[in-house]
Amino acid sequence: MIPFLHERWPVFHEDNHLLALYKPAGLLVQGDETGAANLLDLAKAWLKQRHHKPGRVFLGLVQRLDRPVAGVVLFARTSKAAARLSAQLRTRQTRKVYLAVVEGRLPSERGKLTNHIERQDRLSRIAPQPTSSSREARLSYRVLETADDRRLVEVELETGRKHQIRLQLAHIGCPIVGDARYGAHAVLPSRQIALLAREITIEHPTRHEMLSFACPLPSGWPWPTPNIPMNAPLWSWEDYGIPV
């Protein structure tokens, strides 16, 4: 596996049209007003150096992860790929699977959640009834393991709303561990939340074959997991210690 900026930072896939990278928790996907490091700019610099590219490097952001979330992020290396991947995501032709460690007990071992979500400034909320500004949010889940008052849950998204998983799980009394914004009892030391973008499946934009990119459990993930490899990716951005 190709390393990215560190021997424990994997590149899941690279070809002329796609780049699939690991995003550690705490790293922005895209730059914002803070000027903090972000995966998009780091990836452009890496490609420029790796392929000795003159001038500016094109890299299209076709999906996003919240800053405190870790996992797989997919980029497009051409405008054609960006348009086609964006269309797949918009029309729900992709499959996105997450792992979450949650507080409390879910209503059943597996199930589906359907809500209407409204944006309110930097937060989202569940609307009691559909409104002109709300959007339907759907996901399915299954409980994989239980330990004390926590559950390890696999979540598959059917829609892609901002903060959807965080909000819908919190709404049924099971906030994600560390997610104090949506009701968790405490923050984690590096302000991560226990949500991992585990796998994404897409159709390649030019070869028209199905591809799946899966993220291994990172070192430091807050669930008792035996036999995590010594070279597993690090959960937190700050643990990489990369100067930017």
Side-chain angles (χ1 to χ4, degrees), residues 47-216:
L47 286 169
K48 184 177 179 67
Q49 181 179 38
R50 174 173 168 78
H51 298 289
H52 309 289
K53 285 183 170 291
R56 299 179 63 182
V57 173
F58 176 85
L59 198 60
L61 183 64
V62 295
Q63 60 160 148
R64 290 170 172 79
L65 290 182
D66 295 338
R67 186 173 190 168
V69 178
V72 183
V73 175
L74 188 64
F75 295 97
R77 294 192 58 195
T78 64
S79 57
K80 178 189 291 186
R84 292 179 178 178
L85 291 171
S86 295
Q88 286 185 49
L89 290 160
R90 187 171 58 252
T91 56
R92 303 170 192 157
Q93 298 176 55
T94 60
R95 181 173 184 260
K96 292 188 283 187
V97 178
Y98 290 74
L99 285 182
V101 181
V102 303
E103 301 176 358
R105 183 173 181 174
L106 287 96
S108 59
E109 291 298 295
R110 62 173 64 222
K112 292 190 175 185
L113 302 178
T114 301
N115 301 101
H116 282 78
I117 292 179
E118 282 186 322
R119 292 284 300 275
Q120 290 186 324
D121 297 323
R122 297 176 66 88
L123 291 177
S124 300
R125 76 176 189 99
I126 300 290
Q129 301 290 336
T131 70
S132 59
S133 60
S134 68
R135 302 178 73 188
E136 188 177 71
R138 300 188 307 276
L139 62 77
S140 58
Y141 71 84
R142 65 185 181 108
V143 177
L144 301 179
E145 297 178 27
T146 299
D148 299 323
D149 193 38
R150 293 182 174 182
R151 306 292 188 273
L152 179 66
V153 182
E154 181 183 83
V155 175
E156 183 168 347
L157 281 179
E158 295 182 22
T159 57
R161 312 304 183 206
K162 184 176 177 64
H163 294 183
Q164 177 179 338
I165 298 173
R166 300 166 64 179
L167 191 58
Q168 288 191 275
L169 291 176
H171 186 66
I172 58 171
C174 296
I176 294 169
V177 168
D179 195 5
R181 174 177 284 191
Y182 290 116
H185 287 98
V187 298
L188 294 171
S190 297
R191 306 193 74 83
Q192 323 96 310
I193 65 172
L195 182 61
L196 180 73
R198 180 70 155 162
E199 183 177 353
I200 183 167
T201 300
I202 54 97
E203 182 183 274
H204 192 279
T206 60
R207 299 202 301 264
H208 305 297
E209 61 180 302
M210 300 305 295
L211 298 176
S212 291
F213 310 119
C215 178

Side-chain angles (χ1 to χ4, degrees), residues 211-226:
L211 298 176
S212 291
F213 310 119
C215 178
L217 290 180
S219 177
W221 177 245
W223 191 262
T225 306

Side-chain angles (χ1 to χ4, degrees), residues 1-11 19 21-24 27 37-50 234 237 239-244:
M1 185 173 289
I2 305 168
F4 184 50
L5 304 179
H6 186 283
E7 61 183 3
R8 294 180 66 177
W9 193 330
V11 175
L19 180 66
L21 292 176
Y22 172 67
K23 187 189 88 68
L27 178 65
N38 65 88
L39 187 60
L40 179 61
D41 286 347
L42 293 174
K44 287 180 178 180
W46 180 79
L47 286 169
K48 184 177 179 67
Q49 181 179 38
R50 174 173 168 78
L234 304 176
W237 159 241
D239 290 340
Y240 282 98
I242 295 172
V244 293

